[in-house]
Amino acid sequence: MTGARGQPPTPLGNMHFRLEIDGIAGGGAVEIILPEARIAPTRRVRYGPLIVRRGLTLARDWYEWWDAARRGRRPPRRSLRIVLLDSAGGDTAVWMYRDALPVAYHLSPLNALGNEAVLETLELSVGNFEAAPGGTNADRPKVRRRTAR
């Protein structure tokens, strides 16, 4: 595939994206580390962890999801949708992960001499992965979002 006037396509930037988590209002993610997908000898696909980070706020949804998992209360498996955006805010690529469960929760260090935001990190195991082109809403699984109260 070539770009304008036969030029190679321009690589997509990694700084504009949106995270949607089924049942959780707003994304607010500042960093996402996508999992590695590896085909095992049995032809089964194994996924590494999906890691999402956001600035800590008064919202406790990520912590409560993780807390339910650690207490064995059968936390809901959730679907996630990660959307890469172009400079105008349009969807360019979409990655969907299903059956996500929290396996680790972490807060960044506190530093009395610093002035950086506290980051909340959620590490997730995922059970399935799909990629879709951006730009249209056709053939995309819907992720339900809860509105903020």
Side-chain angles (χ1 to χ4, degrees), residues 11 17 22 28 37 39 47 49 53 59 81 105 113 129 132 135 142 144:
F17 56 87
D22 184 22
I39 300 171
Y47 301 98
R53 290 190 176 96
R81 189 167 158 222
Y105 179 84
L113 300 177
F129 159 72
K142 301 293 183 213
R144 295 178 310 238

Side-chain angles (χ1 to χ4, degrees), residues 20-143:
E20 300 168 357
I21 302 176
D22 184 22
I24 294 180
V30 297
E31 182 179 36
I32 299 172
I33 301 172
L34 300 172
E36 177 182 61
R38 184 176 292 273
I39 300 171
T42 60
R43 304 298 303 161
R44 183 170 179 245
V45 178
R46 294 188 180 181
Y47 301 98
L50 171 63
I51 299 171
V52 294
R53 290 190 176 96
R54 70 178 180 184
L56 182 66
T57 66
L58 295 177
R60 295 180 42 91
D61 45 9
W62 284 17
Y63 172 80
E64 288 169 352
W65 187 25
W66 173 81
D67 189 48
R70 84 176 163 122
R71 293 180 186 275
R73 288 193 220 136
R74 293 190 152 183
R77 292 183 178 267
R78 300 182 187 274
S79 294
L80 286 86
R81 189 167 158 222
I82 300 160
V83 183
L84 188 63
L85 306 171
D86 61 22
S87 59
D91 297 358
T92 59
V94 179
W95 298 276
M96 283 106 25
Y97 295 91
R98 291 190 181 19
D99 296 327
L101 275 176
V103 295
Y105 179 84
H106 176 74
L107 294 173
S108 62
L110 304 178
N111 181 348
L113 300 177
N115 65 351
E116 297 179 4
V118 177
L119 294 181
E120 180 178 34
T121 301
L122 194 57
E123 182 177 321
L124 305 164
S125 68
V126 295
N128 194 342
F129 159 72
E130 291 179 47
T136 72
N137 288 323
D139 300 323
R140 285 197 202 155
K142 301 293 183 213
V143 173

